Amino acid sequence: MADHGDWRPPRPCEAYRAEWKLCRSARHFLHHYYVHGERPACEQWRRDLASCREWEEHRSAEAQRSLCESERARVQAARKHTLVWALRQSPPADWHLPLPQEEKDQ
């Protein structure tokens, strides 16, 4: 990160603005509250937007560090969520047989 002459933010500043705007929308608020039972945290998107703009205007090393850390944390958070269902390697052996309810109806 020392040579930041050709460094670019991980996303365009417009992407951070769009994410912040979406996060603050009523629809997203209702969906997030329904799913997670809490208000969405939009502050990080606002900080990322400010850092991106600071980088574009002044090439600030602090803004560069902030964006890199934020994206790294976002990737780590996405990795910690595992699949709920175990994926099958092959179908069940009796997949072609009628279901028990279908047997009763006949």
Side-chain angles (χ1 to χ4, degrees), residues 80-101:
K80 80 175 186 179
H81 297 292
T82 58
L83 293 174
V84 174
W85 305 105
L87 299 178
R88 293 183 185 158
Q89 300 302 318
S90 61
D94 60 351
W95 69 270
H96 62 285
L97 299 176
L99 296 173
Q101 182 63 31

Side-chain angles (χ1 to χ4, degrees), residues 8-24 42 44-53 56 67 70-71 74:
R8 296 190 52 80
R11 306 168 192 229
C13 291
E14 179 58 31
Y16 292 113
R17 192 192 73 72
E19 289 285 356
W20 182 51
K21 186 176 176 182
L22 172 69
C23 188
R24 294 175 46 231
C42 302
Q44 187 60 48
W45 289 115
R46 190 193 63 74
R47 281 194 301 267
D48 290 348
L49 175 59
S51 294
C52 188
R53 287 182 175 159
E56 284 190 343
L67 282 171
S70 176
E71 289 295 330
R74 207 170 274 125

Side-chain angles (χ1 to χ4, degrees), residues 54-65:
E54 177 70 20
W55 167 256
E56 284 190 343
E57 293 170 9
H58 305 289
R59 297 292 194 240
S60 164
E62 177 62 26
Q64 179 185 14
R65 185 194 58 73

